[in-house]
């Protein structure tokens, strides 16, 4: 078990008051995680001690900055067990990871009549780029539905995956239900029909040990800001054969080998996909976040979140008029999404905020999922390595207070 009090001391913001005299209860890590002191210090040290552009200068600062930035890439490669750090492309976030693949691989490989298979529980980041691509190319997007318990209807897989399916992209963990999907089984099913398979790991990499070679996925993407790292940095992983065959996503400095007035040739991987001055401090910060998480142990983090999720689902289910969405705690990550009869989720969020509790309300960038549930919005509490049972108790007490306020 984790020493949660010790972990909490690593996060400066957790001792901040939400309002005077009201401690902060941060239950919105799925939207963006808080940052430990070591990550803040690593970024600060970059700016104070080695601030310079990377891959350009032949001076001490630039070489130190380049070394720190590239060392972070190696740490990230090891963290997800990528075969080589050249397969780790720095992007801004998971959203950019999807757009890069849809633009670069998609425009080269998707043709009229081809099919793209997604699921109905996807985040907009794994829906909209493919819909745009399909519209441009005359391809068809199909979706695996989910069952009442928030798990995928795998009985539909055989019918939906055909030799027309050129791309299959799905989330490893739903940001609304918390459902942990059977990634390797889905990857194998996609490969069996010859599809390229991409995994959305935005809610997986921060919370569990991820091994891209064990998954055998062709592409995978995640964001740094959900895993104790800064905003403005994310990762696209890809199999070398595919990355090498793809044209660049954006043109400019750093991604070229040679430029003449007649044309250009491209840099090696990973820089072929990294045009312009990158997010240097953010890359270094993400490397430190990876060190921090690995030091605590991803299996320990997952076990703690399982414990908290069990506790939360049980405690929340006692609230009158509550509907909880998603599978049992054993099948989900640290997310509890709910509605309370008679109170709009935005009102719930506003009232509990006055008790210092940060949760998210809305469609969580998963509108099709909410349309399927026939609700316009839900409230979501999400947990991380620093979440305590006392914080869950505060949420439950605050939700009961909210019901009283609404005379329910
Ligand atoms: N979900 C949430 O509150 P970006 O915005 O690019 O960092 O991450 C996009 C994304 C992709 N896939 C999944 C499964 C996600 O959960 C997210 C981000 C946040 O649920 C913010 S909308």
């Amino acid at each position: 078990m984790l020493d949660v009090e010790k972990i909490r001391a690593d996060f400066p913001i957790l001792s901040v008051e939400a309002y005077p005299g009201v401690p902060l209860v941060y239950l919105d890590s799925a939207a963006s995680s808080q940052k430990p002191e070591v990550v803040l210090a690593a970024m600060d040290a970059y700016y104070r001690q080695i601030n310079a552009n990377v891959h350009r200068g032949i001076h001490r600062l630039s070489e130190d900055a380049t070394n720190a930035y590239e060392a972070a890439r190696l740490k990230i490669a090891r963290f997800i067990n990528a075969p080589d750090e050249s397969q780790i492309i720095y992007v801004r976030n998971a959203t950019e990871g999807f757009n890069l693949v849809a633009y670069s691989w998609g425009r080269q490989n998707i043709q009229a009549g081809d099919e793209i298979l997604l699921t109905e529980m996807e985040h907009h980041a794994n829906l909209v780029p493919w819909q745009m691509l399909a519209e441009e190319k005359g391809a068809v997007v199909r979706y695996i539905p989910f069952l009442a318990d928030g798990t995928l209807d795998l009985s539909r897989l055989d019918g939906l995956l055909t030799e027309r399916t050129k791309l299959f992209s799905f989330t490893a963990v739903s940001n609304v239900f918390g459902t942990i999907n059977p990634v390797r089984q889905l990857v194998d099913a996609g490969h069996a029909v010859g599809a390229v398979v991409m995994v959305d790991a935005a809610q997986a990499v921060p919370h569990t040990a991820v091994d891209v070679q064990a998954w055998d996925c062709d592409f995978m993407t995640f964001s740094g800001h959900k895993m104790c790292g800064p905003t403005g940095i994310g990762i696209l992983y890809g199999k070398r054969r595919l990355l090498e065959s793809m044209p660049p996503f954006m043109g400019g400095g750093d991604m070229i080998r040679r430029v003449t007035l007649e044309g250009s040739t491209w840099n090696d991987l990973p820089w072929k996909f990294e045009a312009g001055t990158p997010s240097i401090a953010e890359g270094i910060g993400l490397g430190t976040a990876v060190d921090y998480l690995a030091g605590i142990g991803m299996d320990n983090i997952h076990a703690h979140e399982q414990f908290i999720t069990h506790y939360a689902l049980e405690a929340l289910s006692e609230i009158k008029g509550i509907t909880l969405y998603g599978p049992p705690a054993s099948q989900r990550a640290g997310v509890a999404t709910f509605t309370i009869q008679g109170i709009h989720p935005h009102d719930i969020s506003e009232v509990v905020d006055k008790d210092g509790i940060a949760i998210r309300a809305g469609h969580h960038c998963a509108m099709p999922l909410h349309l399927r549930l026939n609700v316009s919005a839900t409230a979501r509490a999400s947990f991380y390595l620093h979440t305590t049972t006392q914080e869950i108790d505060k949420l439950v007490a605050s939700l009961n207070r909210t019901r009283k306020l609404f005379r329910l």
Side-chain angles (χ1 to χ4, degrees):
M1 271 300 171
L2 298 186
D3 184 347
V4 179
E5 281 317 310
K6 187 162 169 280
I7 285 170
R8 290 180 70 81
D10 295 337
F11 291 81
I13 208 168
L14 295 182
S15 45
V16 163
E17 290 180 338
Y19 298 104
V22 182
L24 172 70
V25 174
Y26 190 73
L27 299 178
D28 199 17
S29 292
S32 197
S33 69
Q34 298 302 346
K35 322 303 174 201
E37 181 66 47
V38 283
V39 170
L40 304 175
M43 294 173 70
D44 191 62
Y46 160 74
Y47 282 122
R48 285 177 192 278
Q49 293 160 22
I50 57 169
N51 178 49
N53 212 329
V54 290
H55 307 142
R56 286 158 171 83
I58 309 178
H59 54 77
R60 209 262 305 163
L61 288 189
S62 178
E63 280 175 6
D64 284 356
T66 302
N67 289 341
Y69 181 70
E70 291 300 334
R73 193 193 305 270
L74 182 59
K75 289 176 193 179
I76 296 158
R78 289 189 178 139
F79 190 62
I80 59 165
N81 196 30
D84 193 82
E85 69 268 28
S86 62
Q87 292 163 266
I88 300 294
I89 317 290
Y90 281 126
V91 288
R92 269 192 312 137
N93 45 39
T95 301
E96 190 171 299
F98 285 111
N99 279 278
L100 192 160
V101 176
Y103 187 90
S104 173
W105 180 87
R107 274 162 187 77
Q108 204 172 48
N109 290 282
I110 297 289
Q111 290 161 12
D114 285 348
E115 292 184 6
I116 295 168
L117 183 62
L118 310 173
T119 87
E120 287 186 347
M121 65 169 69
E122 297 311 314
H123 184 280
H124 298 164
N126 193 22
L127 291 170
V128 182
W130 307 121
Q131 290 175 342
M132 289 163 71
L133 174 67
E135 190 166 321
E136 185 184 316
K137 295 288 187 175
V140 179
V141 186
R142 300 206 184 282
Y143 302 93
I144 304 175
F146 56 80
L147 300 166
D149 67 354
T151 60
L152 287 176
D153 184 355
L154 296 177
S155 71
R156 300 288 305 279
L157 203 56
D158 275 353
L160 285 165
L161 270 174
T162 71
E163 72 285 354
R164 285 187 302 278
T165 315
K166 292 291 175 300
L167 180 99
F168 178 24
S169 187
F170 61 87
T171 193
V173 173
S174 158
N175 67 321
V176 179
F177 295 135
T179 317
I180 300 171
N181 285 322
V183 175
R184 180 62 200 243
Q185 183 190 342
L186 295 173
V187 170
D188 286 349
H191 285 166
V193 297
V196 162
V197 184
M198 179 157 190
V199 179
D200 179 349
Q203 299 290 355
V205 172
H207 303 283
T208 55
V210 164
D211 179 334
V212 284
Q213 294 189 71
W215 277 358
D216 195 31
C217 51
D218 299 302
F219 295 109
M220 180 274 242
T221 188
F222 57 97
S223 297
H225 70 94
K226 293 186 200 290
M227 52 185 289
C228 299
T231 52
I233 191 84
I235 299 297
L236 171 69
Y237 157 82
K239 282 192 180 156
R240 170 174 292 284
R241 172 180 55 82
L242 289 165
L243 291 174
E244 275 175 350
S245 73
M246 287 157 55
F249 177 41
M250 289 194 280
D254 225 19
M255 50 71 71
I256 46 82
R257 178 174 308 287
R258 187 174 150 76
V259 179
T260 65
L261 294 181
E262 285 69 45
S264 312
T265 54
W266 315 136
N267 204 338
D268 294 332
L269 291 176
W271 306 291
K272 177 172 88 173
F273 293 107
E274 297 178 2
T277 298
S279 303
I280 304 166
E282 289 76 7
I284 294 168
L286 181 54
T288 306
V290 158
D291 284 342
Y292 177 76
L293 292 173
I296 291 167
M298 294 313 293
D299 290 341
N300 295 330
I301 292 171
H302 180 65
H304 176 69
E305 287 180 24
Q306 282 273 296
F307 162 70
I308 291 289
T309 308
H310 267 278
Y311 186 89
L313 292 184
E314 220 167 281
L316 288 166
S317 66
E318 300 290 319
I319 295 170
K320 270 207 189 130
I322 199 165
T323 302
L324 283 157
Y325 300 91
S330 56
Q331 280 171 267
R332 72 157 93 188
V335 167
T337 294
F338 57 93
T339 49
I340 297 178
Q341 202 175 17
I343 319 176
H344 193 280
H346 286 156
D347 292 330
I348 296 176
S349 182
E350 211 172 310
V351 177
V352 303
D353 172 65
K354 296 296 170 286
D355 291 331
I357 302 170
I359 60 169
R360 188 171 170 189
H363 53 62
H364 317 296
C365 299
M367 280 174 98
L369 178 154
H370 283 79
L371 286 170
R372 262 292 304 274
L373 291 176
N374 215 13
V375 292
S376 60
T378 53
R380 182 189 69 184
S382 54
F383 320 126
Y384 210 1
L385 68 167
H386 47 66
T387 309
T388 64
T389 52
Q390 289 88 331
E391 289 181 310
I392 305 298
D393 294 343
K394 281 188 184 175
L395 172 67
V396 171
S398 186
L399 290 172
N400 280 322
R401 197 174 72 77
T402 311
R403 286 192 72 251
K404 284 212 183 86
L405 207 71
F406 279 79
R407 300 181 197 289
L408 294 171

